[in-house]
Amino acid sequence: MNVETFKYDNKIVRAFAIASVAFGIIGMLVGLLVAVQIYLPAANLNLPFTTFGRIRPLHTNAVIFAFVGNAMFAGIYYSLQRLCKARLFSDVLSWIHFWGWQAIILAAAISLPLGITTSKEYAELEWPIDLAITLVWVVFAINFFGTIAKRRERHMYVAIWFYISTVITVAVLHIVNSFELPLSWLKSYSMYAGVQDALVQWWYGHNAVAFFLTTPYLGLMYYFLPKAANRPVFSYRLSIIHFWALIFIYIWAGPHHLLYSALPDWAQSLGMVFSLMLIAPSWGGMLNGLLTLRGAWDKVRQDPVLKFLVVAVTAYGMSTLEGPLMSIKSVNAITHFTDYTIAHVHTGALGWNGFLTFGMLYWLIPQMYQTKLWSVKLATAHFWIGLMGMTFYVLPIYWGGVTQSLMWKQFTPEGFLQYPNFMETLLNIIPMHILRSIGGSLYFTGVILMTINLIKTARQGSFLADQEAQAPALKDQVEHAEAPHGYHHRWLEKKPLIFTVLSLVAILIGGIVEAVPTFLIRTNIPTIAAVRPYTPLELQGRDLYIREGCVSCHSQLVRPFRSETERYGTYSKAGEYVYDHPFLWGSKRTGPDLHRVGKKYPDAWHVKHMQDPRSTSPGSIMPAYPWLLTRKLDTSATVKKVSLMRKLGVPYPENYELQAMADLKAQAKAISDNLAQTGAPMDADREIIALIAYLQRLGTDIRVAEAGGAL
Amino acid sequence: MIRNVLENLGGHIAAFPVISLVIFVSFFTGMLLWVVSLSRRHVEHMSQLPLEPEGGDQRHE
């Protein structure tokens, strides 16, 4: 038999590992900064670039795509080579992938603080960066499938299946959610509007959690857990069921992010039912991981790697039980828009992704440096500090989230809201926010300990850049005569192409079933005659709302609960959003809902509120936006914006472009005059004027409709 | 164009949930049958894959 000698590439694995730790530190620091700003708004340093609305997406993008993303690539490239018994397909592609990904992260780190954003959660990056992501992902995919093609092991282990589903699904999600029409190099508008935009966005958002944060990490679990425990996975059959059931069901569950919204009811119910079904594969996977350690729990006491992996797998189980429970409509009515969701995602992020990454790094670095871990004690200390940090992070805001939600919903015996002032419900949970940031600091301290430990480990060892290995070429391998009827059993694991196509079909079915009716049946989005396109000034104001990331803290979606209609006004209808490119429903109410804020306060109130929120709302934690009062509104793209909106289907009259600037100026002057009369003089060309125009318009069309009996 | 074609499906939209259910049930039935029919030896081989020594493949030596 002709045995071939080849070398595994450890350099690329190390590069991604280092990038993961470095960006993990930065991403978590930014997270800490936003957490502090919740109770100390002055921590924004009074700069637009470091204000909550702009750096909250920086935090989420950094931890998801930079920390987890780089760790995922490190783990995939390490395990893929070993499982395929082949060096990566191309060193050049590996390094283009690495540097391309880091360049994208850098572009995000620059553009987000500048307010260049699409405002769609976890897809905030503007279209040139979206294109770059697509290109780098294609490079990754070629390198990935190329490696599989030149493998020396006939069968693909289940970890590789999870990686394949990641590669193809992330590509599909990213492309579909990024359909946008560019206005300039730095600005684009979603092709979808309102309810459809919301459905696509949360189909994306939900499945980004599934296929960026979950499936690749499950692949890593199925590789590194057996490796670290030195025993095979508990049940390989169960892992097959885990894989197919998970990728098939996950896709259907997206609408659970939009319960009680203006999305059609059948889609909401579908999302809820499929979310509950997800418990089965998720728990099958968790138990499969934990049972792998049967008879080896004594090892967990000594080995920090296993400690981290055990907590990671447990956190996976906990958050995948919690997620489906939160998808039950009556539970969602309480948890949605509150800190409970933030606690939920951090159980997943800190526990599952964080701890699995740490466990993997503690195993990988000594392995590649041919040495032992520098200090097991320090790693164990990291484990306990991290675990405490996670607990102190999630528990206070679980508590705070439910408390605030119940306060929102509380009525007096006379039938009035008990806490009509939003501020009361907010100030009540500030201590929980403080505790949360202490938890976050503890977790961060653990990461610093790990960094020291890994650097010391690297220094005491010698790096094995190219690890030599031997295996016969695939064509020289004789099939094991394992069963007379063995062929059809294993064909799938031997045929990467068919396998990939089948996975693609599995993930497309759920998305198609949900999207087709929503997009094609017009009756799903009832039109309301009184709803008119935004005026040019309001369009500009909306872009400022997007730039400042107002959507991070304010929803624009009044749910059909009495507690909400009493507080905000009539509930939101699908037909009200038909001209919203993109939709701005938001997912969190750190501040009150704004969908019915139009005409609620006088113009002058908004000026004072933006200048110093505490002057109008004592105790408010909203940052001040003084720059809106001094900056001149850039109107150079107004006409282009109107044309672009028309292309997207907004019915501006023919040749309205000729009229747009005059209309903008007239409306700005009217607001400016009104402000002068009410003691808050402001030039008509300031940004604040456009923002006021937009805010005063919000949710008012329907009042006209109701007054006129059009509904 | 695709939009028009699919919109013409509108008349048959009632079949949509039924088709979805059939796809769903057959997917799981097929998967379970497949998993149950796997041979023990093959499953063992697969689950040992991550544990093979990194330097070489001893099965073939």
Side-chain angles (χ1 to χ4, degrees):
Chain A
M1 190 184 295
N2 185 18
V3 176
E4 294 177 337
T5 302
F6 51 94
K7 286 174 175 167
Y8 295 133
D9 182 0
N10 280 346
K11 260 191 181 166
I12 190 72
V13 178
R14 176 176 67 173
F16 275 118
I18 293 172
S20 168
V21 175
F23 285 122
I25 291 175
I26 295 171
M28 289 177 212
L29 258 184
V30 178
L32 210 50
L33 183 62
V34 287
V36 170
Q37 284 185 23
I38 293 261
Y39 55 86
L40 198 69
N44 74 345
L45 315 172
N46 222 9
L47 292 171
F49 320 107
T50 41
T51 295
F52 189 93
R54 295 196 192 185
I55 59 169
R56 188 258 181 189
L58 183 65
H59 162 64
T60 52
N61 277 279
V63 290
I64 296 173
F65 300 110
F67 168 59
V68 174
N70 278 314
M72 160 182 126
F73 295 135
I76 289 179
Y77 277 169
Y78 184 89
S79 55
L80 182 70
Q81 295 185 81
R82 271 97 189 150
L83 288 170
C84 289
K85 299 196 178 78
R87 190 182 175 88
L88 288 172
F89 176 63
S90 152
D91 284 10
V92 175
L93 289 184
S94 298
W95 288 103
I96 294 177
H97 174 197
F98 177 78
W99 288 111
W101 196 254
Q102 311 317 316
I104 288 164
I105 293 168
L106 187 68
I110 295 170
S111 62
L112 292 173
L114 288 174
I116 299 164
T117 172
T118 65
S119 86
K120 291 174 93 170
E121 266 183 278
Y122 321 122
E124 287 91 349
L125 304 177
E126 264 301 348
W127 69 274
I129 310 179
D130 279 344
L131 276 182
I133 294 172
T134 313
L135 289 178
V136 172
W137 200 262
V138 168
V139 168
F140 168 49
I142 296 172
N143 210 18
F144 175 84
F145 286 112
T147 310
I148 293 179
K150 62 174 212 177
R151 71 194 187 283
R152 294 182 182 83
E153 164 58 53
R154 200 175 294 276
H155 299 114
M156 295 187 301
Y157 180 64
V158 68
I160 300 181
W161 306 10
F162 277 104
Y163 302 157
I164 290 179
S165 71
T166 303
V167 175
I168 54 167
T169 315
V170 169
V172 173
L173 294 172
H174 174 67
I175 291 169
V176 174
N177 194 41
S178 298
F179 280 143
E180 49 213 1
L181 218 52
L183 176 83
S184 66
W185 282 101
L186 302 175
K187 181 78 193 162
S188 66
Y189 294 94
S190 174
M191 301 267 265
Y192 317 103
V195 175
Q196 293 174 345
D197 198 32
L199 183 73
V200 173
Q201 157 62 23
W202 283 112
W203 167 79
Y204 163 88
H206 172 72
N207 293 303
V209 171
F211 289 90
F212 204 90
L213 298 174
T214 309
T215 52
Y217 269 56
L218 286 170
L220 299 180
M221 174 189 92
Y222 277 119
Y223 181 78
F224 286 101
L225 189 60
K227 220 54 186 165
N230 199 25
R231 52 188 55 225
V233 64
F234 169 67
S235 163
Y236 192 76
R237 281 195 175 89
L238 185 54
S239 71
I240 296 174
I241 299 177
H242 182 195
F243 173 77
W244 286 107
L246 192 86
I247 69 159
F248 184 71
I249 297 181
Y250 230 120
I251 290 280
W252 301 60
H256 70 202
H257 291 260
L258 301 167
L259 299 181
Y260 292 109
S261 74
L263 191 73
D265 200 47
W266 64 266
Q268 297 186 27
S269 302
L270 197 68
M272 171 175 139
V273 171
F274 274 81
S275 306
L276 285 167
M277 278 194 259
L278 261 181
I279 296 178
S282 305
W283 272 55
M286 173 189 73
L287 293 174
N288 210 2
L290 292 179
L291 287 173
T292 299
L293 294 166
R294 75 204 178 285
W297 285 92
D298 54 309
K299 281 190 187 174
V300 179
R301 286 175 64 181
Q302 290 138 19
D303 185 358
V305 172
L306 285 179
K307 278 195 178 75
F308 277 108
L309 296 184
V310 165
V311 170
V313 175
T314 312
Y316 169 64
M318 292 306 118
S319 47
T320 53
L321 171 67
E322 190 180 45
L325 295 182
M326 290 164 75
S327 308
I328 299 173
K329 283 181 95 174
S330 48
V331 177
N332 192 272
I334 295 174
T335 60
H336 195 55
F337 286 139
T338 74
D339 282 310
Y340 195 99
T341 311
I342 317 298
H344 166 64
V345 298
H346 280 84
T347 303
L350 302 176
W352 166 239
N353 294 114
F355 270 39
L356 202 129
T357 304
F358 305 149
M360 183 181 85
L361 291 173
Y362 280 128
W363 187 87
L364 262 183
I365 299 294
Q367 195 79 14
M368 292 193 298
Y369 278 89
Q370 310 172 82
T371 180
K372 280 194 160 36
L373 189 62
W374 180 65
S375 166
V376 171
K377 261 191 180 169
L378 195 63
T380 310
H382 171 200
F383 172 77
W384 288 111
I385 291 177
L387 191 60
M388 272 199 326
M390 193 165 81
T391 315
F392 275 115
Y393 184 105
V394 296
L395 286 186
I397 55 171
Y398 274 132
W399 185 271
V402 174
T403 305
Q404 190 179 26
S405 184
L406 294 178
M407 288 176 84
W408 288 343
K409 290 174 179 297
Q410 187 65 46
F411 282 96
T412 62
E414 292 76 29
F416 298 108
L417 283 174
Q418 181 152 3
Y419 306 99
N421 186 350
F422 189 90
M423 206 62 67
E424 279 180 277
T425 71
L426 176 79
L427 297 177
N428 187 50
I429 59 164
I430 290 291
M432 299 302 165
H433 282 133
I434 297 174
L435 279 178
R436 181 266 292 267
S437 61
I438 295 173
S441 316
L442 281 176
Y443 191 89
F444 180 71
T445 310
V447 174
I448 299 297
L449 296 185
M450 176 187 76
T451 310
I452 296 169
N453 207 350
L454 293 181
I455 292 174
K456 291 277 189 189
T457 305
R459 286 213 173 138
Q460 77 183 7
S462 80
F463 183 63
L464 186 60
D466 295 292
Q467 185 176 352
E468 198 167 280
Q470 290 182 324
L474 204 54
K475 59 178 170 22
D476 293 341
Q477 290 180 24
V478 190
E479 268 285 324
H480 294 285
E482 52 185 65
H485 56 287
Y487 176 76
H488 75 277
H489 290 160
R490 289 165 285 118
W491 65 275
L492 201 52
E493 286 144 348
K494 291 190 285 191
K495 299 265 190 286
L497 185 66
I498 297 174
F499 188 92
T500 306
V501 172
L502 283 180
S503 314
L504 182 66
V505 170
I507 63 123
L508 285 180
I509 291 171
I512 290 170
V513 168
E514 274 167 14
V516 167
T518 316
F519 274 74
L520 299 177
I521 307 175
R522 292 191 194 286
T523 51
N524 270 329
I525 304 168
T527 42
I528 300 169
V531 174
R532 302 247 171 262
Y534 294 108
T535 67
L537 189 64
E538 289 159 6
L539 263 188
Q540 295 284 12
R542 195 166 199 271
D543 284 343
L544 296 175
Y545 189 95
I546 290 171
R547 183 187 79 189
E548 299 302 340
C550 306
V551 71
S552 294
C553 293
H554 294 283
S555 55
Q556 286 189 16
L557 183 79
V558 182
R559 294 179 294 175
F561 300 135
R562 190 172 152 244
S563 59
E564 298 208 354
T565 53
E566 286 287 306
R567 186 182 298 279
Y568 301 117
T570 185
Y571 67 89
S572 306
K573 323 282 188 297
E576 291 183 83
Y577 301 105
V578 287
Y579 306 129
D580 282 14
H581 296 271
F583 82 117
L584 291 171
W585 292 1
S587 61
K588 173 74 171 61
R589 282 185 190 148
T590 303
D593 188 275
L594 296 183
H595 195 212
R596 302 280 175 227
V597 81
K599 303 282 189 287
K600 190 173 175 184
Y601 305 104
D603 293 350
W605 184 93
H606 286 289
V607 174
K608 286 184 190 136
H609 185 239
M610 290 297 164
Q611 191 168 28
D612 177 14
R614 277 147 296 280
S615 68
T616 49
S617 319
S620 167
I621 55 164
M622 183 168 130
Y625 290 87
W627 53 88
L628 292 175
L629 279 64
T630 49
R631 278 199 198 168
K632 279 192 178 170
L633 180 70
D634 177 7
T635 55
S636 57
T638 309
V639 173
K640 219 175 152 192
K641 275 181 198 179
V642 170
S643 304
L644 190 140
M645 283 294 157
R646 188 189 291 107
K647 266 188 210 152
L648 291 173
V650 181
Y652 287 107
E654 214 174 316
N655 294 328
Y656 182 65
E657 284 85 342
L658 303 172
Q659 178 72 31
M661 271 315 284
D663 279 4
L664 181 142
K665 282 185 182 149
Q667 193 182 3
K669 188 172 178 302
I671 294 172
S672 173
D673 289 349
N674 179 30
L675 285 173
Q677 285 166 14
T678 46
M682 182 63 52
D683 291 342
D685 60 354
R686 304 296 140 153
E687 289 188 337
I688 183 87
I689 301 286
L691 189 65
I692 290 175
Y694 173 63
L695 291 175
Q696 295 291 34
R697 170 71 187 276
L698 272 178
T700 52
D701 285 351
I702 201 144
R703 283 184 211 157
V704 180
E706 279 167 353
L711 265 181
Chain B
M1 192 202 86
I2 299 171
R3 202 184 170 98
N4 286 334
V5 170
L6 286 168
E7 258 173 277
N8 290 333
L9 273 181
H12 304 285
I13 205 75
F16 207 80
V18 179
I19 297 170
S20 310
L21 186 70
V22 168
I23 293 175
F24 182 81
V25 172
S26 21
F27 179 88
F28 278 91
T29 317
M31 178 188 74
L32 288 175
L33 285 178
W34 178 55
V35 168
V36 169
S37 71
L38 287 173
S39 81
R40 181 180 291 271
R41 216 166 128 186
H42 171 63
V43 166
E44 251 165 49
H45 164 67
M46 292 303 291
S47 59
Q48 286 297 331
L49 284 180
L51 299 173
E52 289 180 2
E54 300 210 346
D57 184 347
Q58 291 181 337
R59 280 181 311 135
H60 301 285
E61 281 164 8

